[in-house]
């Protein structure tokens, strides 16, 4: 009798152990399949539009704990009175308050380093800004990470060309985005969509609810390097284009603009020794166009060109280095019209001190203030 009881108990124990083994193998198989799905996701990018930001985060965070892949943690916020974009806990965009500039904010990030390469605001409530937004987005190199956030209102003059460009970037909310809606969008040009969300305005007199989107994004293992011919100009171009975005053909891999501009000599040059000052601020895209136009003029002399920058900004200084002209920065003071006035005064004083024997210097405004 006792022997039978022992046999029954032994049989039960063996059965339990076998069941535990089966469950363990099943669990390993399911986890392995999930990891393979995560690998396929990371390798191919987020191609299925049905994957939401929350599901994307779940997959990526699982992978982050399993491998040495580097990731970027980004948080986007949009509301009536605030727009912000935070990367790795650091504010790269933070605009708040009723009187601060409304519109659509765009931040461009290097997909390999996570460094901010450009940040722009487009007041697409006003006519004309949507065309500038469209041009800017088209000028961005494929592969860059793009983050968008609306403050206040940004749809009233958002035309069809700009909307189509945003659709090409992967937005599926553009069809529903209208007056005073809040909106955030994280994507990769030519590749992945990381997340998108919006708050619907209930009526014409109210704004959409504040929206927050948090995404975790894999960094690329290698930098994108254009196959430009080796030269001093290429080295200068490579250095600039690895840090800044939004200059289109200047950084184009196939047909880049020449940096060194050859201007025609004037047969009778009565202005060859007259210095030129450019009154600038922190809108390097205007400075880029202005410098190319100025240095293309017949008789232009880059050695006599000085750019006066109202503040200590890196990108405008990098632009002056690109074209071999001098840069002078000074501490801004006052506000609005008072700040513009002091900038002009400081620039003229410095220009005359740099060229004390010249009575007729020329000053050009790059429209950075308007």
């Amino acid at each position: 009798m006792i022997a039978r009881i022992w046999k029954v108990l032994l049989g039960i124990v063996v059965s339990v152990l076998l069941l535990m083994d089966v469950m363990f193998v099943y669990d390993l198989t399911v986890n392995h399949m999930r990891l393979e799905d995560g690998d396929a996701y990371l390798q191919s990018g987020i191609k299925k539009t049905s994957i939401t930001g929350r599901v994307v985060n779940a997959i990526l965070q699982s992978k982050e704990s399993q491998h040495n892949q580097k990731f970027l943690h980004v948080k986007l916020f949009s509301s009536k009175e605030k727009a912000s974009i935070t990367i790795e806990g650091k504010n790269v965009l933070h605009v708040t308050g009723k009187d601060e500039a409304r519109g659509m904010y765009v931040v461009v990030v290097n997909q390999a380093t996570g460094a901010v390469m450009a940040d722009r605001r487009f007041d697409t409530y006003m006519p004309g800004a949507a065309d500038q937004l469209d041009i800017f987005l088209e000028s961005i190199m494929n592969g860059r990470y793009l983050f968008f956030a609306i403050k206040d209102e940004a749809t009233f003059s958002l035309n069809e060309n700009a909307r189509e460009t945003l659709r090409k970037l992967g937005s599926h909310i553009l069809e529903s985005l209208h007056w005073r809606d809040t909106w955030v969008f994280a994507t990769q040009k030519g590749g992945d969509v990381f997340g998108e969300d919006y708050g619907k305005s209930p009526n014409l007199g109210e704004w959409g609810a504040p929206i927050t989107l948090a995404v975790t994004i894999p960094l690329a293992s290698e930098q994108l390097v254009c196959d430009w011919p080796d030269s001093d100009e290429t080295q200068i171009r490579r250095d600039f284009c690895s840090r800044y975005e939004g200059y289109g053909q200047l950084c184009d891999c196939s047909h880049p603009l020449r940096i060194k501009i050859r201007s025609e000599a004037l047969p009778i040059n009565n202005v060859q020794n007259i210095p030129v000052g450019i009154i600038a601020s922190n809108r390097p895209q205007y400075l880029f166009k202005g410098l190319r136009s100025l240095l293309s003029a017949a008789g232009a002399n880059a050695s006599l060109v000085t750019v006066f920058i109202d503040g200590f900004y890196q990108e405008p200084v990098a632009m002056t280095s690109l074209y071999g002209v001098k840069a002078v920065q000074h501490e801004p003071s006052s506000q609005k019209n008072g700040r513009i006035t002091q900038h002009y005064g400081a620039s003229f004083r410095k220009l005359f001190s740099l060229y004390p024997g010249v009575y007729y210097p020329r000053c050009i405004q790059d429209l950075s203030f308007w």
Side-chain angles (χ1 to χ4, degrees):
M1 185 68 179
I2 296 175
R4 289 182 179 179
I5 293 173
W6 277 109
K7 287 181 179 180
V8 172
L9 290 174
L10 182 61
I12 293 173
V13 171
V14 170
S15 299
V16 170
L17 291 174
L18 285 173
L19 181 61
M20 291 175 65
D21 286 341
V22 170
M23 292 177 66
F24 179 71
V25 171
Y26 175 77
D27 187 58
L28 284 178
T29 303
V30 171
N31 284 337
H32 180 69
M33 292 174 64
R34 286 175 178 170
L35 287 176
E36 285 184 338
D37 288 343
D39 284 329
Y41 161 78
L42 287 173
Q43 291 170 7
S44 62
I46 306 170
K47 302 300 182 184
K48 297 181 179 179
T49 56
S50 61
I51 296 180
T52 67
R54 286 181 289 275
V55 175
V56 169
N57 278 340
I59 296 173
L60 290 176
Q61 287 167 0
S62 173
K63 292 299 297 173
E64 187 171 13
S65 63
Q66 298 290 332
H67 297 286
N68 291 325
Q69 167 94 47
K70 293 183 178 180
F71 288 78
L72 204 62
H73 303 85
V74 185
K75 187 175 181 180
L76 304 92
F77 181 83
S78 168
S79 73
K80 173 187 175 182
E81 295 184 0
K82 178 181 175 182
S84 68
I85 297 174
T86 303
I87 299 178
E88 296 300 327
K90 179 181 178 182
N91 281 328
V92 297
L93 169 71
H94 185 81
V95 184
T96 185
K98 293 182 180 180
D99 297 328
E100 293 297 325
R102 72 184 166 219
M104 184 178 296
Y105 289 83
V106 188
V107 172
V108 184
V109 170
N110 187 300
Q111 70 273 25
T113 66
V116 174
M117 303 186 75
D119 61 90
R120 301 284 191 271
R121 177 186 72 91
F122 299 92
D123 184 8
T124 45
Y125 173 84
M126 299 296 292
D131 293 331
Q132 294 301 315
L133 170 65
D134 188 35
I135 292 170
F136 175 71
L137 294 178
E138 291 289 350
S139 73
I140 303 298
M141 186 178 292
N142 278 347
R144 302 300 190 203
Y145 293 162
L146 301 173
F147 304 107
F148 298 80
I150 284 178
K151 179 186 178 295
D152 191 358
E153 214 296 305
T155 65
F156 187 71
S157 295
L158 190 64
N159 60 30
E160 184 56 31
N161 287 340
R163 287 178 179 267
E164 180 60 26
T165 298
L166 289 167
R167 289 189 201 102
K168 289 178 181 178
L169 290 172
S171 173
H172 289 272
I173 290 179
L174 257 296
E175 304 296 338
S176 306
L177 196 66
H178 297 294
W179 172 255
R180 288 183 174 173
D181 291 346
T182 53
W183 178 66
V184 287
F185 181 37
T187 189
Q188 180 182 33
K189 185 171 182 182
D192 311 338
V193 174
F194 302 118
E196 185 177 22
D197 205 352
Y198 84 122
K200 188 67 180 173
S201 169
N203 54 62
L204 293 177
E206 298 182 56
W207 282 258
I211 291 295
T212 299
L213 175 69
V215 292
T216 303
I217 304 170
L219 288 174
S221 57
E222 296 180 354
Q223 281 272 28
L224 175 64
V225 178
C226 294
D227 188 23
W228 294 318
D230 290 335
S231 67
D232 292 340
E233 181 171 295
T234 291
Q235 185 57 45
I236 295 171
R237 186 193 308 278
R238 201 179 299 282
D239 178 65
F240 182 87
C241 295
S242 67
R243 293 185 290 152
Y244 304 109
E245 259 290 1
Y247 295 94
Q249 202 173 351
L250 176 67
C251 300
D252 186 81
C253 284
S254 301
H255 304 288
L257 286 175
R258 288 184 59 89
I259 294 175
K260 188 175 182 180
I261 301 173
R262 298 175 181 174
S263 61
E264 297 180 3
L266 292 173
I268 301 175
N269 194 346
N270 294 322
V271 296
Q272 60 182 349
N273 295 319
I274 295 180
V276 176
I278 298 179
I279 310 296
S281 183
N282 189 29
R283 292 189 183 179
Q285 67 274 23
Y286 287 95
L287 182 60
F288 169 57
K289 296 176 182 178
L291 282 174
R292 290 196 63 85
S293 177
L294 174 63
L295 297 177
S296 298
N301 185 351
S303 66
L304 291 175
V305 177
T306 305
V307 178
F308 297 96
I309 302 169
D310 185 38
F312 298 95
Y313 306 108
Q314 295 180 357
E315 193 169 345
V317 174
M319 180 60 67
T320 63
S321 298
L322 193 68
Y323 285 99
V325 301
K326 293 185 286 293
V328 175
Q329 297 173 281
H330 59 251
E331 185 74 34
S333 63
S334 191
Q335 296 179 354
K336 297 183 179 180
N337 290 343
R339 178 171 175 173
I340 296 174
T341 301
Q342 72 83 26
H343 182 32
Y344 268 85
S347 300
F348 274 106
R349 288 191 296 272
K350 186 63 177 179
L351 187 61
F352 279 111
S353 69
L354 289 173
Y355 303 96
V358 175
Y359 294 98
Y360 303 103
R362 297 290 184 265
C363 275
I364 302 171
Q365 182 179 308
D366 76 344
L367 302 180
S368 290
F369 294 103
W370 312 105

